[in-house]
Amino acid sequence: MSTSADPAPLSAAAQAQPNIALIKYWGKRDARLNLPAVGSISITLDRLWTRTCVRFDPQLAVDQVQLDGRTDAGGATRVCACLDLLRRRAGIDLRARVESWNNFPTGAGLASSASGFAALVTAADAALGLGMSPAECSALARQGSGSAARSIFGGFVEWHRGQRPDGGDSVAEPLLAAADWPLSVLVAITSRAIKSVGSTEGMNRTAASSPYWTAWLQAQMADLAQARAAIAGRDFERLAEVAEHSCLKMHALALAARPGLVYWNGATVEALHAVRALRAGGVPVFFTNDAGPQLKAICLPSAAERVARTLHAVPGVLEVVAAGLGEGARLIGADQVGAARAGAV
Ligand code: DP6
């Protein structure tokens, strides 16, 4: 807690991890406030991270943003807009230097925007001495990128659609801690190219032109309820069924947009079939996939080695990255940010 006699440090660093949606967020009910058309449920990963240092500096005339050691004009616009929200809240007008590192490839369907904005808001909150609650951090991270609302928390997380026009109730909350139901995640990397149509554009196009849009909105409550119950009861089969359903349904919507969005390549589909064949043979594993070509397999830890071996053997799978479930966003020492690449996966 900071007081007026105890000025904010103006600089802080934070780490956040990507999350993978099991019940998908796809579509917005308010673009300006980035409010989702539907609620969603995710798992936060360990091992993969974004580390971000934010320093507000009276000497700076403009924000300076470096992502993975490069000045990135595209990403910087969204970062500056998010910093503006924090500055307004703090009642200050100082520009900031932001240095951010990922230990996994940016922009290739591994949700670097989720961990990125969760880390940014957590660091900037501390630098400005705002003392925001996790729910408030979640609401601000959401305005940077929707899925970032969920990376504020660890383990199993639900992000509520909310009803209020101002979005005050569209925040994430934890459902179950990572340690309470350990799962393994194997990410099959099938391409390192930056995706052609980003999530924001893809979901806007889908909402505007997919004939299945209304059906998607109507069924989400039931999918969320099934996933919530499966998580509370640690019912793997029940979670597997609804998570694969939500994933395929999101892609069915997107495929039917005009022009249609095809996020998969051949290896994505082969990997999906390999996961299904494993489950048909009794291995506790299911797949999910987002707005990109990577296929994510989620399994009980006892099956992780078998699943990794199977994915490795799929033609076109370049690499398999293994993770478990991890913690939410948190402050770290500024010296840990510079050391980021040492831990690249
Ligand atoms: C397919 O959070 O990247 O991964 O809010 O427009 O920044 P914006 O979108 P983003 O979309 C993620 C979409 C998804 C599903 C999900 O994570 O729930």
Short mmCIF file of all heavy atoms in Angstrom, two decimals, residues 135-204:
data_model
loop_
_atom_site.label_atom_id
_atom_site.label_comp_id
_atom_site.label_asym_id
_atom_site.label_seq_id
_atom_site.Cartn_x
_atom_site.Cartn_y
_atom_site.Cartn_z
N ALA A 135 -9.16 -7.94 -9.75
CA ALA A 135 -10.31 -7.76 -10.66
C ALA A 135 -10.16 -6.47 -11.46
O ALA A 135 -10.46 -6.43 -12.66
CB ALA A 135 -11.61 -7.75 -9.86
N GLU A 136 -9.67 -5.42 -10.82
CA GLU A 136 -9.46 -4.15 -11.55
C GLU A 136 -8.35 -4.31 -12.59
O GLU A 136 -8.45 -3.78 -13.70
CB GLU A 136 -9.13 -3.02 -10.57
CG GLU A 136 -10.31 -2.59 -9.73
CD GLU A 136 -9.92 -1.60 -8.62
OE1 GLU A 136 -8.95 -1.88 -7.87
OE2 GLU A 136 -10.57 -0.55 -8.51
N CYS A 137 -7.30 -5.03 -12.21
CA CYS A 137 -6.23 -5.29 -13.19
C CYS A 137 -6.79 -6.09 -14.37
O CYS A 137 -6.44 -5.85 -15.53
CB CYS A 137 -5.08 -6.08 -12.56
SG CYS A 137 -4.07 -5.09 -11.44
N SER A 138 -7.67 -7.05 -14.08
CA SER A 138 -8.27 -7.88 -15.12
C SER A 138 -9.07 -7.01 -16.10
O SER A 138 -8.97 -7.17 -17.32
CB SER A 138 -9.16 -8.95 -14.46
OG SER A 138 -9.83 -9.71 -15.43
N ALA A 139 -9.84 -6.05 -15.55
CA ALA A 139 -10.66 -5.18 -16.41
C ALA A 139 -9.77 -4.32 -17.31
O ALA A 139 -10.09 -4.09 -18.48
CB ALA A 139 -11.57 -4.31 -15.56
N LEU A 140 -8.66 -3.84 -16.77
CA LEU A 140 -7.77 -3.01 -17.59
C LEU A 140 -7.01 -3.84 -18.63
O LEU A 140 -6.86 -3.43 -19.78
CB LEU A 140 -6.78 -2.27 -16.70
CG LEU A 140 -7.30 -0.92 -16.22
CD1 LEU A 140 -6.31 -0.28 -15.28
CD2 LEU A 140 -7.55 0.02 -17.40
N ALA A 141 -6.55 -5.03 -18.21
CA ALA A 141 -5.85 -5.91 -19.15
C ALA A 141 -6.79 -6.29 -20.30
O ALA A 141 -6.37 -6.38 -21.45
CB ALA A 141 -5.35 -7.16 -18.44
N ARG A 142 -8.07 -6.49 -19.98
CA ARG A 142 -9.07 -6.82 -20.99
C ARG A 142 -9.12 -5.77 -22.10
O ARG A 142 -9.32 -6.07 -23.28
CB ARG A 142 -10.45 -6.89 -20.32
CG ARG A 142 -11.59 -7.24 -21.26
CD ARG A 142 -12.92 -6.79 -20.69
NE ARG A 142 -13.13 -5.37 -20.87
CZ ARG A 142 -13.62 -4.54 -19.94
NH1 ARG A 142 -13.94 -4.98 -18.75
NH2 ARG A 142 -13.78 -3.25 -20.23
N GLN A 143 -8.92 -4.51 -21.72
CA GLN A 143 -9.01 -3.45 -22.73
C GLN A 143 -7.79 -3.44 -23.65
O GLN A 143 -7.84 -2.89 -24.75
CB GLN A 143 -9.22 -2.09 -22.05
CG GLN A 143 -10.59 -2.07 -21.37
CD GLN A 143 -10.93 -0.72 -20.76
OE1 GLN A 143 -11.07 0.27 -21.44
NE2 GLN A 143 -11.05 -0.71 -19.44
N GLY A 144 -6.70 -4.07 -23.19
CA GLY A 144 -5.54 -4.26 -24.07
C GLY A 144 -5.79 -5.40 -25.05
O GLY A 144 -5.65 -5.26 -26.26
N SER A 145 -6.19 -6.54 -24.51
CA SER A 145 -6.56 -7.71 -25.32
C SER A 145 -7.46 -8.57 -24.45
O SER A 145 -7.14 -8.83 -23.28
CB SER A 145 -5.30 -8.49 -25.72
OG SER A 145 -5.65 -9.60 -26.52
N GLY A 146 -8.59 -8.99 -25.02
CA GLY A 146 -9.60 -9.66 -24.19
C GLY A 146 -9.06 -10.81 -23.36
O GLY A 146 -9.27 -10.88 -22.15
N SER A 147 -8.32 -11.70 -24.01
CA SER A 147 -7.85 -12.89 -23.30
C SER A 147 -6.87 -12.54 -22.17
O SER A 147 -6.65 -13.35 -21.27
CB SER A 147 -7.20 -13.86 -24.28
OG SER A 147 -6.26 -13.18 -25.10
N ALA A 148 -6.31 -11.34 -22.18
CA ALA A 148 -5.40 -10.92 -21.10
C ALA A 148 -6.13 -10.79 -19.76
O ALA A 148 -5.51 -10.95 -18.70
CB ALA A 148 -4.74 -9.58 -21.46
N ALA A 149 -7.44 -10.55 -19.81
CA ALA A 149 -8.22 -10.48 -18.57
C ALA A 149 -8.03 -11.76 -17.76
O ALA A 149 -7.99 -11.73 -16.52
CB ALA A 149 -9.69 -10.27 -18.89
N ARG A 150 -7.87 -12.89 -18.46
CA ARG A 150 -7.78 -14.20 -17.77
C ARG A 150 -6.38 -14.48 -17.24
O ARG A 150 -6.23 -15.22 -16.27
CB ARG A 150 -8.22 -15.32 -18.73
CG ARG A 150 -9.67 -15.17 -19.23
CD ARG A 150 -10.08 -16.33 -20.12
NE ARG A 150 -9.15 -16.52 -21.21
CZ ARG A 150 -9.48 -16.61 -22.50
NH1 ARG A 150 -10.75 -16.51 -22.87
NH2 ARG A 150 -8.56 -16.80 -23.42
N SER A 151 -5.32 -13.93 -17.88
CA SER A 151 -3.95 -14.24 -17.44
C SER A 151 -3.56 -13.52 -16.15
O SER A 151 -2.48 -13.76 -15.62
CB SER A 151 -2.94 -13.88 -18.55
OG SER A 151 -2.81 -14.96 -19.45
N ILE A 152 -4.42 -12.66 -15.64
CA ILE A 152 -4.17 -12.06 -14.31
C ILE A 152 -4.21 -13.17 -13.25
O ILE A 152 -3.55 -13.08 -12.23
CB ILE A 152 -5.23 -10.96 -14.00
CG1 ILE A 152 -5.06 -9.77 -14.97
CG2 ILE A 152 -5.18 -10.53 -12.54
CD1 ILE A 152 -3.77 -8.98 -14.80
N PHE A 153 -4.98 -14.22 -13.53
CA PHE A 153 -5.17 -15.30 -12.54
C PHE A 153 -4.52 -16.59 -13.02
O PHE A 153 -4.33 -16.81 -14.22
CB PHE A 153 -6.66 -15.53 -12.30
CG PHE A 153 -7.37 -14.31 -11.78
CD1 PHE A 153 -8.12 -13.51 -12.63
CD2 PHE A 153 -7.25 -13.93 -10.45
CE1 PHE A 153 -8.76 -12.37 -12.16
CE2 PHE A 153 -7.88 -12.78 -9.97
CZ PHE A 153 -8.63 -12.00 -10.83
N GLY A 154 -4.21 -17.47 -12.07
CA GLY A 154 -3.62 -18.76 -12.40
C GLY A 154 -4.66 -19.86 -12.42
O GLY A 154 -5.82 -19.66 -12.04
N GLY A 155 -4.24 -21.04 -12.87
CA GLY A 155 -5.11 -22.22 -12.84
C GLY A 155 -6.26 -22.11 -13.82
O GLY A 155 -6.10 -21.66 -14.95
N PHE A 156 -7.44 -22.53 -13.38
CA PHE A 156 -8.66 -22.49 -14.21
C PHE A 156 -9.35 -21.16 -13.94
O PHE A 156 -9.57 -20.79 -12.79
CB PHE A 156 -9.59 -23.64 -13.82
CG PHE A 156 -9.02 -25.01 -14.12
CD1 PHE A 156 -8.08 -25.59 -13.26
CD2 PHE A 156 -9.41 -25.71 -15.25
CE1 PHE A 156 -7.55 -26.84 -13.52
CE2 PHE A 156 -8.88 -26.97 -15.52
CZ PHE A 156 -7.95 -27.53 -14.66
N VAL A 157 -9.71 -20.47 -15.01
CA VAL A 157 -10.18 -19.08 -14.87
C VAL A 157 -11.42 -18.87 -15.75
O VAL A 157 -11.45 -19.33 -16.90
CB VAL A 157 -9.07 -18.10 -15.33
CG1 VAL A 157 -9.55 -16.65 -15.23
CG2 VAL A 157 -7.80 -18.30 -14.49
N GLU A 158 -12.40 -18.19 -15.20
CA GLU A 158 -13.56 -17.79 -16.02
C GLU A 158 -13.57 -16.28 -16.21
O GLU A 158 -13.40 -15.53 -15.24
CB GLU A 158 -14.88 -18.24 -15.37
CG GLU A 158 -16.09 -17.77 -16.19
CD GLU A 158 -17.39 -18.47 -15.85
OE1 GLU A 158 -17.42 -19.30 -14.90
OE2 GLU A 158 -18.39 -18.18 -16.54
N TRP A 159 -13.74 -15.85 -17.43
CA TRP A 159 -13.92 -14.41 -17.73
C TRP A 159 -15.40 -14.21 -18.05
O TRP A 159 -15.92 -14.80 -18.98
CB TRP A 159 -13.04 -14.01 -18.92
CG TRP A 159 -13.26 -12.64 -19.48
CD1 TRP A 159 -13.80 -11.55 -18.85
CD2 TRP A 159 -12.95 -12.21 -20.81
NE1 TRP A 159 -13.85 -10.48 -19.69
CE2 TRP A 159 -13.34 -10.85 -20.91
CE3 TRP A 159 -12.41 -12.83 -21.93
CZ2 TRP A 159 -13.18 -10.10 -22.09
CZ3 TRP A 159 -12.25 -12.10 -23.10
CH2 TRP A 159 -12.63 -10.75 -23.17
N HIS A 160 -16.04 -13.37 -17.24
CA HIS A 160 -17.48 -13.16 -17.38
C HIS A 160 -17.80 -12.18 -18.51
O HIS A 160 -17.14 -11.15 -18.63
CB HIS A 160 -18.06 -12.62 -16.07
CG HIS A 160 -17.86 -13.58 -14.93
ND1 HIS A 160 -18.61 -14.72 -14.80
CD2 HIS A 160 -16.96 -13.59 -13.92
CE1 HIS A 160 -18.20 -15.39 -13.73
NE2 HIS A 160 -17.19 -14.74 -13.18
N ARG A 161 -18.83 -12.51 -19.26
CA ARG A 161 -19.30 -11.59 -20.30
C ARG A 161 -19.71 -10.27 -19.66
O ARG A 161 -19.38 -9.21 -20.16
CB ARG A 161 -20.50 -12.22 -21.02
CG ARG A 161 -21.17 -11.28 -22.01
CD ARG A 161 -22.49 -11.87 -22.49
NE ARG A 161 -23.07 -11.08 -23.57
CZ ARG A 161 -23.80 -9.99 -23.39
NH1 ARG A 161 -24.03 -9.53 -22.17
NH2 ARG A 161 -24.31 -9.34 -24.43
N GLY A 162 -20.41 -10.36 -18.53
CA GLY A 162 -20.93 -9.15 -17.87
C GLY A 162 -22.13 -8.59 -18.60
O GLY A 162 -22.38 -8.93 -19.77
N GLN A 163 -22.88 -7.75 -17.88
CA GLN A 163 -24.09 -7.15 -18.45
C GLN A 163 -23.97 -5.64 -18.56
O GLN A 163 -24.63 -5.01 -19.37
CB GLN A 163 -25.31 -7.46 -17.55
CG GLN A 163 -25.56 -8.95 -17.31
CD GLN A 163 -25.90 -9.69 -18.59
OE1 GLN A 163 -26.48 -9.10 -19.53
NE2 GLN A 163 -25.53 -10.97 -18.68
N ARG A 164 -23.12 -5.05 -17.70
CA ARG A 164 -23.11 -3.59 -17.60
C ARG A 164 -22.51 -2.95 -18.85
O ARG A 164 -21.49 -3.43 -19.36
CB ARG A 164 -22.31 -3.16 -16.37
CG ARG A 164 -23.10 -3.36 -15.09
CD ARG A 164 -22.32 -3.15 -13.84
NE ARG A 164 -21.35 -2.06 -13.89
CZ ARG A 164 -20.51 -1.78 -12.89
NH1 ARG A 164 -20.55 -2.50 -11.78
NH2 ARG A 164 -19.66 -0.79 -12.99
N PRO A 165 -23.12 -1.86 -19.32
CA PRO A 165 -22.57 -1.18 -20.50
C PRO A 165 -21.16 -0.65 -20.28
O PRO A 165 -20.37 -0.56 -21.22
CB PRO A 165 -23.55 -0.02 -20.74
CG PRO A 165 -24.77 -0.34 -19.95
CD PRO A 165 -24.37 -1.26 -18.84
N ASP A 166 -20.81 -0.32 -19.03
CA ASP A 166 -19.46 0.22 -18.78
C ASP A 166 -18.42 -0.89 -18.60
O ASP A 166 -17.23 -0.62 -18.43
CB ASP A 166 -19.45 1.14 -17.55
CG ASP A 166 -19.65 0.39 -16.24
OD1 ASP A 166 -19.82 -0.85 -16.25
OD2 ASP A 166 -19.64 1.05 -15.18
N GLY A 167 -18.86 -2.15 -18.62
CA GLY A 167 -17.92 -3.28 -18.57
C GLY A 167 -17.36 -3.57 -17.19
O GLY A 167 -16.51 -4.45 -17.05
N GLY A 168 -17.86 -2.89 -16.17
CA GLY A 168 -17.31 -3.08 -14.82
C GLY A 168 -17.43 -4.52 -14.32
O GLY A 168 -16.64 -4.94 -13.46
N ASP A 169 -18.40 -5.26 -14.84
CA ASP A 169 -18.58 -6.66 -14.41
C ASP A 169 -18.00 -7.66 -15.41
O ASP A 169 -18.18 -8.86 -15.26
CB ASP A 169 -20.07 -6.96 -14.15
CG ASP A 169 -20.94 -6.63 -15.36
OD1 ASP A 169 -20.43 -6.03 -16.34
OD2 ASP A 169 -22.15 -6.96 -15.32
N SER A 170 -17.29 -7.17 -16.42
CA SER A 170 -16.67 -8.10 -17.38
C SER A 170 -15.22 -8.32 -17.00
O SER A 170 -14.30 -7.77 -17.61
CB SER A 170 -16.78 -7.56 -18.81
OG SER A 170 -16.26 -8.53 -19.70
N VAL A 171 -15.04 -9.08 -15.93
CA VAL A 171 -13.70 -9.37 -15.41
C VAL A 171 -13.57 -10.87 -15.23
O VAL A 171 -14.56 -11.59 -15.21
CB VAL A 171 -13.43 -8.66 -14.06
CG1 VAL A 171 -13.47 -7.16 -14.23
CG2 VAL A 171 -14.40 -9.12 -13.00
N ALA A 172 -12.32 -11.31 -15.08
CA ALA A 172 -12.08 -12.73 -14.87
C ALA A 172 -12.04 -13.03 -13.37
O ALA A 172 -11.81 -12.13 -12.55
CB ALA A 172 -10.76 -13.13 -15.52
N GLU A 173 -12.25 -14.30 -13.04
CA GLU A 173 -12.07 -14.75 -11.65
C GLU A 173 -11.57 -16.19 -11.67
O GLU A 173 -11.91 -16.96 -12.58
CB GLU A 173 -13.36 -14.62 -10.84
CG GLU A 173 -14.45 -15.55 -11.29
CD GLU A 173 -15.61 -15.61 -10.29
OE1 GLU A 173 -15.41 -15.31 -9.10
OE2 GLU A 173 -16.70 -16.00 -10.72
N PRO A 174 -10.79 -16.57 -10.66
CA PRO A 174 -10.28 -17.94 -10.66
C PRO A 174 -11.37 -18.93 -10.27
O PRO A 174 -12.20 -18.64 -9.41
CB PRO A 174 -9.18 -17.89 -9.58
CG PRO A 174 -9.48 -16.68 -8.75
CD PRO A 174 -10.27 -15.73 -9.58
N LEU A 175 -11.36 -20.11 -10.93
CA LEU A 175 -12.32 -21.16 -10.60
C LEU A 175 -11.67 -22.22 -9.72
O LEU A 175 -12.28 -22.76 -8.81
CB LEU A 175 -12.82 -21.84 -11.88
CG LEU A 175 -13.69 -21.02 -12.82
CD1 LEU A 175 -14.00 -21.84 -14.08
CD2 LEU A 175 -14.99 -20.60 -12.14
N LEU A 176 -10.41 -22.54 -10.04
CA LEU A 176 -9.70 -23.62 -9.34
C LEU A 176 -8.21 -23.36 -9.48
O LEU A 176 -7.75 -23.02 -10.58
CB LEU A 176 -10.07 -24.96 -10.01
CG LEU A 176 -9.71 -26.25 -9.29
CD1 LEU A 176 -10.52 -26.39 -8.00
CD2 LEU A 176 -10.00 -27.45 -10.20
N ALA A 177 -7.46 -23.52 -8.39
CA ALA A 177 -6.02 -23.26 -8.45
C ALA A 177 -5.31 -24.32 -9.28
O ALA A 177 -5.78 -25.47 -9.38
CB ALA A 177 -5.44 -23.24 -7.04
N ALA A 178 -4.16 -23.95 -9.85
CA ALA A 178 -3.39 -24.86 -10.69
C ALA A 178 -3.07 -26.17 -9.95
O ALA A 178 -3.16 -27.26 -10.52
CB ALA A 178 -2.10 -24.18 -11.13
N ALA A 179 -2.73 -26.06 -8.68
CA ALA A 179 -2.31 -27.24 -7.92
C ALA A 179 -3.49 -28.16 -7.60
O ALA A 179 -3.29 -29.33 -7.25
CB ALA A 179 -1.63 -26.81 -6.62
N ASP A 180 -4.71 -27.65 -7.71
CA ASP A 180 -5.87 -28.46 -7.33
C ASP A 180 -6.30 -29.46 -8.40
O ASP A 180 -7.10 -30.36 -8.13
CB ASP A 180 -7.04 -27.54 -6.96
CG ASP A 180 -6.78 -26.85 -5.63
OD1 ASP A 180 -5.93 -27.34 -4.86
OD2 ASP A 180 -7.41 -25.81 -5.38
N TRP A 181 -5.85 -29.25 -9.62
CA TRP A 181 -6.11 -30.26 -10.67
C TRP A 181 -5.01 -30.12 -11.72
O TRP A 181 -5.21 -29.52 -12.77
CB TRP A 181 -7.49 -30.07 -11.31
CG TRP A 181 -7.90 -31.26 -12.15
CD1 TRP A 181 -7.38 -32.52 -12.11
CD2 TRP A 181 -8.93 -31.27 -13.16
NE1 TRP A 181 -8.02 -33.33 -13.02
CE2 TRP A 181 -8.99 -32.59 -13.67
CE3 TRP A 181 -9.81 -30.32 -13.65
CZ2 TRP A 181 -9.89 -32.97 -14.66
CZ3 TRP A 181 -10.71 -30.69 -14.64
CH2 TRP A 181 -10.75 -32.00 -15.15
N PRO A 182 -3.83 -30.68 -11.44
CA PRO A 182 -2.72 -30.50 -12.37
C PRO A 182 -3.03 -31.18 -13.71
O PRO A 182 -3.43 -32.34 -13.74
CB PRO A 182 -1.54 -31.20 -11.68
CG PRO A 182 -1.97 -31.40 -10.26
CD PRO A 182 -3.46 -31.49 -10.28
N LEU A 183 -2.86 -30.43 -14.77
CA LEU A 183 -3.00 -30.97 -16.13
C LEU A 183 -1.73 -30.63 -16.89
O LEU A 183 -1.01 -29.70 -16.51
CB LEU A 183 -4.21 -30.35 -16.85
CG LEU A 183 -5.60 -30.63 -16.26
CD1 LEU A 183 -6.68 -29.90 -17.07
CD2 LEU A 183 -5.91 -32.12 -16.21
N SER A 184 -1.47 -31.37 -17.94
CA SER A 184 -0.32 -31.06 -18.80
C SER A 184 -0.84 -30.53 -20.13
O SER A 184 -1.91 -30.93 -20.60
CB SER A 184 0.51 -32.32 -19.05
OG SER A 184 1.08 -32.76 -17.84
N VAL A 185 -0.03 -29.66 -20.73
CA VAL A 185 -0.38 -29.06 -22.02
C VAL A 185 0.79 -29.29 -22.97
O VAL A 185 1.94 -28.99 -22.62
CB VAL A 185 -0.66 -27.55 -21.87
CG1 VAL A 185 -0.98 -26.92 -23.23
CG2 VAL A 185 -1.81 -27.31 -20.88
N LEU A 186 0.51 -29.84 -24.14
CA LEU A 186 1.54 -30.02 -25.17
C LEU A 186 1.13 -29.17 -26.36
O LEU A 186 0.05 -29.40 -26.93
CB LEU A 186 1.63 -31.50 -25.59
CG LEU A 186 2.21 -32.55 -24.64
CD1 LEU A 186 3.54 -32.09 -24.03
CD2 LEU A 186 1.25 -32.95 -23.55
N VAL A 187 1.96 -28.20 -26.69
CA VAL A 187 1.64 -27.32 -27.83
C VAL A 187 2.42 -27.81 -29.03
O VAL A 187 3.66 -27.78 -29.04
CB VAL A 187 2.00 -25.86 -27.51
CG1 VAL A 187 1.62 -24.95 -28.68
CG2 VAL A 187 1.32 -25.39 -26.22
N ALA A 188 1.71 -28.28 -30.05
CA ALA A 188 2.36 -28.73 -31.29
C ALA A 188 2.50 -27.51 -32.20
O ALA A 188 1.50 -26.97 -32.69
CB ALA A 188 1.53 -29.81 -31.96
N ILE A 189 3.74 -27.07 -32.40
CA ILE A 189 4.00 -25.92 -33.27
C ILE A 189 4.04 -26.44 -34.71
O ILE A 189 4.88 -27.29 -35.04
CB ILE A 189 5.36 -25.26 -32.93
CG1 ILE A 189 5.49 -25.01 -31.42
CG2 ILE A 189 5.61 -24.02 -33.76
CD1 ILE A 189 4.89 -23.78 -30.89
N THR A 190 3.15 -25.93 -35.54
CA THR A 190 3.09 -26.40 -36.94
C THR A 190 3.50 -25.30 -37.91
O THR A 190 3.58 -25.56 -39.12
CB THR A 190 1.68 -26.88 -37.30
OG1 THR A 190 0.80 -25.75 -37.26
CG2 THR A 190 1.17 -27.94 -36.35
N SER A 191 3.72 -24.08 -37.42
CA SER A 191 4.18 -22.97 -38.27
C SER A 191 4.73 -21.89 -37.36
O SER A 191 4.19 -21.67 -36.26
CB SER A 191 3.03 -22.42 -39.09
OG SER A 191 3.42 -21.18 -39.66
N ARG A 192 5.79 -21.21 -37.82
CA ARG A 192 6.31 -20.09 -37.03
C ARG A 192 5.96 -18.74 -37.68
O ARG A 192 6.44 -17.70 -37.25
CB ARG A 192 7.82 -20.21 -36.89
CG ARG A 192 8.23 -21.45 -36.13
CD ARG A 192 9.70 -21.42 -35.76
NE ARG A 192 10.16 -22.74 -35.40
CZ ARG A 192 9.90 -23.34 -34.25
NH1 ARG A 192 9.20 -22.71 -33.33
NH2 ARG A 192 10.34 -24.55 -34.01
N ALA A 193 5.12 -18.81 -38.71
CA ALA A 193 4.74 -17.56 -39.39
C ALA A 193 3.75 -16.78 -38.53
O ALA A 193 2.97 -17.37 -37.78
CB ALA A 193 4.11 -17.89 -40.73
N ILE A 194 3.79 -15.46 -38.63
CA ILE A 194 2.79 -14.62 -37.95
C ILE A 194 1.46 -14.86 -38.66
O ILE A 194 1.38 -14.93 -39.87
CB ILE A 194 3.19 -13.12 -38.06
CG1 ILE A 194 4.57 -12.88 -37.44
CG2 ILE A 194 2.13 -12.22 -37.45
CD1 ILE A 194 4.66 -13.01 -35.94
N LYS A 195 0.39 -15.01 -37.87
CA LYS A 195 -0.89 -15.37 -38.48
C LYS A 195 -1.41 -14.27 -39.41
O LYS A 195 -1.17 -13.08 -39.19
CB LYS A 195 -1.92 -15.72 -37.41
CG LYS A 195 -2.26 -14.61 -36.46
CD LYS A 195 -3.02 -15.18 -35.26
CE LYS A 195 -3.18 -14.14 -34.16
NZ LYS A 195 -3.43 -14.70 -32.86
N SER A 196 -2.13 -14.71 -40.44
CA SER A 196 -2.55 -13.76 -41.48
C SER A 196 -3.71 -12.88 -41.02
O SER A 196 -3.74 -11.70 -41.32
CB SER A 196 -2.92 -14.52 -42.75
OG SER A 196 -3.86 -15.52 -42.42
N VAL A 197 -4.68 -13.43 -40.33
CA VAL A 197 -5.81 -12.64 -39.84
C VAL A 197 -5.85 -12.76 -38.32
O VAL A 197 -6.11 -13.83 -37.79
CB VAL A 197 -7.16 -13.14 -40.43
CG1 VAL A 197 -8.31 -12.27 -39.92
CG2 VAL A 197 -7.11 -13.15 -41.95
N GLY A 198 -5.57 -11.66 -37.64
CA GLY A 198 -5.51 -11.67 -36.18
C GLY A 198 -6.89 -11.93 -35.57
O GLY A 198 -7.91 -11.85 -36.26
N SER A 199 -6.89 -12.23 -34.27
CA SER A 199 -8.15 -12.58 -33.58
C SER A 199 -9.16 -11.45 -33.69
O SER A 199 -10.35 -11.69 -33.95
CB SER A 199 -7.89 -12.84 -32.10
OG SER A 199 -6.91 -13.79 -31.92
N THR A 200 -8.72 -10.20 -33.47
CA THR A 200 -9.66 -9.08 -33.43
C THR A 200 -10.40 -8.99 -34.77
O THR A 200 -11.63 -8.94 -34.82
CB THR A 200 -8.92 -7.76 -33.15
OG1 THR A 200 -8.11 -7.94 -31.99
CG2 THR A 200 -9.88 -6.61 -32.93
N GLU A 201 -9.63 -8.99 -35.84
CA GLU A 201 -10.26 -8.89 -37.16
C GLU A 201 -11.10 -10.13 -37.46
O GLU A 201 -12.20 -10.03 -38.01
CB GLU A 201 -9.16 -8.72 -38.23
CG GLU A 201 -9.74 -8.43 -39.61
CD GLU A 201 -8.69 -8.51 -40.72
OE1 GLU A 201 -7.48 -8.34 -40.42
OE2 GLU A 201 -9.08 -8.75 -41.86
N GLY A 202 -10.57 -11.29 -37.08
CA GLY A 202 -11.29 -12.53 -37.36
C GLY A 202 -12.64 -12.58 -36.65
O GLY A 202 -13.65 -12.94 -37.25
N MET A 203 -12.65 -12.16 -35.39
CA MET A 203 -13.94 -12.24 -34.68
C MET A 203 -14.92 -11.18 -35.17
O MET A 203 -16.12 -11.42 -35.24
CB MET A 203 -13.76 -12.27 -33.17
CG MET A 203 -13.11 -11.12 -32.49
SD MET A 203 -13.02 -11.38 -30.68
CE MET A 203 -11.57 -12.38 -30.49
N ASN A 204 -14.41 -10.01 -35.56
CA ASN A 204 -15.31 -8.98 -36.08
C ASN A 204 -15.93 -9.42 -37.40
O ASN A 204 -17.13 -9.24 -37.64
CB ASN A 204 -14.57 -7.65 -36.24
CG ASN A 204 -14.24 -7.03 -34.89
OD1 ASN A 204 -14.85 -7.39 -33.87
ND2 ASN A 204 -13.29 -6.12 -34.86
#
